[in-house]
């Protein structure tokens, strides 16, 4: 792997952003990305809603991979997919489908309730992940084998 691959983690959590509790998913993702050889920017923790979109818009121009954590469920305040969709040039729907399938296979049927998106914005791969520490660990098991290859392709590499 090369450290020229850059990644950003954005956590969508109003409670973590306001100090009600410490976020646990962001550090897990940052460590996992670093183990894959990515240079990881400091984790960004923002409240749910418009701040997620603002953080995404800033991150996509500077990073090869942007992972979000949180805001992908079906509650009224879960709006990360709505903040993500307008930024995507195109979606890569098999990524969230496989993350959900993997979760269900591991005995977490509620993984099917995630509305997370994955797609390309410019030359960045953006993927919405669940907000739980278990959910992001499972997602990284799915993503670890494909992220370096995806970045290589987005940079013009061959299949």
């Amino acid at each position: 792997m090369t450290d020229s691959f850059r990644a950003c983690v954005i956590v969508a959590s109003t409670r973590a952003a306001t100090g009600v509790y410490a976020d646990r998913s962001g550090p897990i993702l940052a460590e996992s990305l670093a183990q894959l050889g990515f240079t990881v920017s400091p984790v960004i923790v923002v409240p749910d809603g418009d701040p997620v979109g603002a953080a995404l818009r800033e991150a996509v121009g500077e990073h090869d991979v942007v992972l979000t954590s949180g805001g992908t469920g079906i509650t009224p305040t879960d709006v990360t997919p709505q903040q993500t969709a307008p930024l995507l040039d195109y979606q890569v729907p098999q990524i969230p489908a496989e993350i959900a399938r993997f979760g269900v296979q591991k005995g977490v049927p509620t993984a099917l309730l995630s509305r997370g998106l994955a797609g390309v914005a410019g030359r960045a791969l953006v993927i919405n992940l669940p907000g739980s520490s278990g959910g992001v660990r499972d997602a990284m098991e799915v993503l670890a084998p494909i992220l370096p290859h995806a970045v290589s392709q987005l940079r013009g590499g061959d299949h």
Side-chain angles (χ1 to χ4, degrees):
M1 215 54 40
T2 173
D3 62 1
S4 66
F5 287 1
R6 299 199 44 188
C8 179
V9 175
I10 300 168
V11 176
S13 171
T14 300
R15 290 179 291 175
T18 57
V20 173
Y21 59 72
D23 166 62
R24 295 190 338 228
S25 64
I28 293 167
L29 290 171
E31 181 179 326
S32 297
L33 288 163
Q35 288 175 354
L36 290 173
F38 284 82
T39 299
V40 185
S41 296
V43 174
I44 300 165
V45 181
V46 295
D48 291 304
D50 291 341
V52 176
L56 280 166
R57 284 188 296 280
E58 189 170 318
V60 296
E62 302 294 322
H63 298 88
D64 299 295
V65 171
V66 178
L67 300 181
T68 67
S69 171
T72 61
I74 60 173
T75 72
T77 59
D78 287 330
V79 296
T80 298
Q82 292 95 309
Q83 294 293 323
T84 303
L87 304 175
L88 299 179
D89 297 321
Y90 53 91
Q91 292 190 32
V92 185
Q94 295 309 311
I95 293 173
E98 178 60 15
I99 291 169
R101 188 202 63 77
F102 187 81
V104 169
Q105 191 175 43
K106 287 193 75 176
V108 184
T110 54
L112 291 176
L113 297 176
S114 177
R115 299 180 306 112
L117 301 176
V120 175
R123 290 200 160 200
L125 179 61
V126 180
I127 305 171
N128 301 149
L129 304 177
S132 69
S133 56
V136 296
R137 280 189 185 97
D138 288 351
M140 286 308 298
E141 284 192 55
V142 171
L143 296 176
I146 66 166
L147 287 180
H149 183 71
V151 171
S152 177
Q153 284 190 314
L154 287 170
R155 288 183 171 188
D158 198 3
H159 296 280

